[in-house]
Amino acid sequence: MEHALSPTTLSELRRPRPYPAVSVLTPTHRREPYRAQDQVRLRNVVAEAKKQLEADPSVTRERRVDVERQLDQALAEVDLTYAEDGLAIFAAPGEHQVWSLARTVPERVVLSDTFLTRNLVSAHAAERPFWVLSVSADRVTLWNGSPDRVTEARVGGFPRTRRIENFDAERQERIGNIPSTFNDEDTRHFLRDADLALRELMRDDPRPLYLTGAPEALAVLDELGSVTKDARRVPHGGLAHGVAASVWQAVLPQVADQDRRDTAAVTRELESARGRKAFAAGVDEVWRSAREGRIRLLAVEENYRATVRGEDGDHLIPAESGDLDAREDIVDEIVEQCLETGAQVRFVPDGTLGDAQGIAGVLRY
């Protein structure tokens, strides 16, 4: 199952497909006893997708069989042991993808000529992804970070390694015998190349960056690095050869501190906008401002959801899940629309926005 969404990947997902491009979304759970229910629910929603394919007169038999086969293959790839809060299956003639989402989604099946990406985009924004680069003299490892874990990222040529005769990086880091190693020109060249490789990767997928390593290694990157110069430092050696759990424990205090700082900055900016009368609050007002491209900064409480329906196309009114024409993922629609128009999107802890009712925006004009 896929987790990491880069701008390049999103662009590929959004390109038109031969009809039918099928999007199947369903909520999932991280813990038992709900996973058994999730398995039944998932099979039922895939069966519903096949039913819609069968009933669509514009879908030829050949294409229906192809897409049904893709749906079956996607279903076989789902491992609910690693389920998060939602699941998206995309299937079209000749291809399929399965995405695990750290944000719940409404259950739905959509047949179109593009995949339904707004829930994926919103989940990605809510995850606040970041990179962790762990460096040593003989290995540089890249980690993909999210609010509750890191996983090794095998992209962009990472991990990068080199062989050093009679060299034990772990032992030298333990006993502190490192300065001569990091003054070596080959080591400096090795770390410079890693920095350049990361710069290329961040050009396509920019994220906040945390840098771990022995102080001497960090000093070399202070001197020679480009993107690593602006990284948040975590002076902790040995993690380039470590495991994800150790990396997560090392960076967690800085990640939590940065989240607090970011939330405080969003709160200050919203208060300033309120004083300038450049402020929107509530799902209806924010939705209309987003459609007009007026939002510069969107703030959403992490678990805020709203089910609505349109009234004459100008306002949203509350609705119940399952109502005719109900839009259960209107918040995800707003998030995607704001990102499309270049706005910043920040998810903040529940209760942060006070009387703004879960969603607020700073207006451009």
Side-chain angles (χ1 to χ4, degrees), residues 117-128:
T117 60
R118 61 173 170 259
N119 307 98
L120 192 61
V121 169
S122 183
H124 180 66
E127 278 197 315
R128 302 183 299 279

Side-chain angles (χ1 to χ4, degrees), residues 95-154:
E95 63 172 319
H96 67 271
Q97 296 189 35
V98 180
W99 287 85
S100 177
L101 311 180
R103 182 171 168 83
T104 193
V105 297
E107 184 176 298
R108 68 194 312 171
V109 174
V110 177
L111 274 61
S112 182
D113 58 359
T114 58
F115 293 136
L116 183 68
T117 60
R118 61 173 170 259
N119 307 98
L120 192 61
V121 169
S122 183
H124 180 66
E127 278 197 315
R128 302 183 299 279
F130 57 88
W131 296 117
V132 181
L133 190 73
S134 298
V135 300
S136 69
D138 67 334
R139 184 179 175 90
V140 179
T141 307
L142 184 66
W143 309 88
N144 176 51
S146 62
D148 59 357
R149 67 180 184 274
V150 298
T151 54
E152 187 173 351
R154 293 183 172 270

Side-chain angles (χ1 to χ4, degrees), residues 20 32-33 48 154 159 169-170 194 212 242-244 259 261-262 336:
E32 297 288 2
E48 173 60 26
R154 293 183 172 270
E170 294 292 330
T212 81
V243 296
D259 283 347
R261 291 171 182 266
D262 290 345
E336 184 178 50

Side-chain angles (χ1 to χ4, degrees), residues 60-286:
T60 66
R61 182 183 182 280
E62 181 182 9
R63 284 200 172 174
R64 175 176 58 80
V65 170
D66 186 350
V67 175
E68 287 179 345
R69 182 169 58 251
Q70 298 297 330
L71 286 169
D72 287 338
Q73 290 175 4
L75 189 60
E77 292 173 10
V78 173
D79 185 349
L80 291 176
T81 303
Y82 302 101
E84 296 177 281
D85 302 307
L87 190 73
I89 292 176
F90 300 133
E95 63 172 319
H96 67 271
Q97 296 189 35
V98 180
W99 287 85
S100 177
L101 311 180
R103 182 171 168 83
T104 193
V105 297
E107 184 176 298
R108 68 194 312 171
V109 174
V110 177
L111 274 61
S112 182
D113 58 359
T114 58
F115 293 136
L116 183 68
T117 60
R118 61 173 170 259
N119 307 98
L120 192 61
V121 169
S122 183
H124 180 66
E127 278 197 315
R128 302 183 299 279
F130 57 88
W131 296 117
V132 181
L133 190 73
S134 298
V135 300
S136 69
D138 67 334
R139 184 179 175 90
V140 179
T141 307
L142 184 66
W143 309 88
N144 176 51
S146 62
D148 59 357
R149 67 180 184 274
V150 298
T151 54
E152 187 173 351
R154 293 183 172 270
V155 294
F158 291 98
R160 304 175 73 87
T161 61
R162 70 178 186 130
R163 181 175 178 81
I164 304 177
E165 296 297 332
N166 301 318
F167 177 71
D168 183 341
E170 294 292 330
R171 178 176 182 277
Q172 293 204 24
E173 286 178 0
R174 287 196 300 270
I175 66 177
N177 185 25
I178 297 177
S180 61
T181 302
F182 287 101
N183 286 333
D184 176 74
E185 191 58 37
D186 288 341
T187 302
R188 292 163 66 86
H189 184 76
F190 174 66
L191 295 181
R192 185 189 300 114
D193 285 349
D195 173 87
L196 293 174
L198 182 61
R199 184 175 68 181
E200 291 298 314
L201 182 64
M202 289 186 65
R203 188 171 296 163
D204 292 329
D205 192 0
R207 305 181 189 181
L209 174 64
Y210 294 85
L211 184 63
T212 81
E216 293 80 4
L218 302 186
V220 171
L221 288 171
D222 280 337
E223 177 187 351
L224 302 176
S226 54
V227 292
T228 50
K229 285 185 176 180
D230 297 323
R232 294 155 192 156
R233 294 328 199 228
V234 182
H236 189 307
L239 297 179
H241 295 265
V243 296
S246 298
V247 177
W248 175 238
Q249 289 301 315
V251 302
L252 177 58
Q254 288 216 27
V255 170
D257 180 65
Q258 190 60 46
D259 283 347
R260 288 190 292 269
R261 291 171 182 266
D262 290 345
T263 298
V266 168
T267 301
R268 288 193 300 270
E269 192 156 358
L270 289 170
E271 286 302 315
S272 175
R274 194 191 293 263
R276 302 192 312 271
K277 301 190 184 304
F279 179 79
V283 67
D284 184 50
E285 185 177 357
V286 170

Side-chain angles (χ1 to χ4, degrees), residues 103 279-292 295 298-301 304-310 313-319 327-335 337-338 353-361 363:
R103 182 171 168 83
F279 179 79
V283 67
D284 184 50
E285 185 177 357
V286 170
W287 173 72
R288 283 184 281 119
S289 298
R291 286 202 309 168
E292 296 165 0
I295 293 182
L298 177 72
V300 184
E301 291 185 355
Y304 176 65
R305 298 289 187 279
T307 300
V308 300
R309 63 177 183 269
D314 294 326
H315 292 279
L316 301 175
I317 58 175
R327 298 161 73 173
E328 297 188 35
D329 51 0
I330 190 64
V331 175
D332 289 357
E333 288 187 42
I334 292 170
V335 169
Q337 179 64 41
C338 287
L353 302 181
D355 61 1
Q357 301 175 346
I359 189 167
L363 303 180

